[in-house]
Amino acid sequence: MSVPGDATDAAFVAAAFGRVEASLGPVEVLIYNASAFRVAGALELAPRELEDDWKINCLGGFVSAQAALPGMLERAGRDPRSVPRSPG
């Protein structure tokens, strides 16, 4: 199932996961496959372009994981608030 939209918008991503789960059932696997990359040198790349690419590559994956993990952990019998964290 394809749900076109802005992968960097947390509200959109949460709603998209809701649509997918309503149509196909619980999410069991998350594969985040959105990416952006501009071929340019540091002096040619505008800060806004770098930020846009970072949002798609990093932030989008993060908000997708935030949308998918609570249900996945709950179905696995784990409290979503007790996700292991690295020390530090």
Side-chain angles (χ1 to χ4, degrees), residues 12-66:
F12 167 79
V13 171
F17 271 87
R19 286 179 53 198
V20 169
E21 289 186 332
S23 178
L24 301 175
V27 173
E28 295 180 10
V29 175
L30 170 64
I31 299 172
Y32 182 75
N33 194 37
S35 67
F37 179 75
R38 297 169 209 263
V39 178
L43 299 178
E44 293 92 30
L45 189 65
R48 180 62 191 203
E49 292 172 318
L50 176 65
E51 181 180 9
D52 290 345
D53 290 355
W54 178 86
K55 284 181 176 179
I56 293 167
N57 294 327
C58 299
L59 181 62
F62 177 76
V63 298
S64 294
Q66 280 191 318

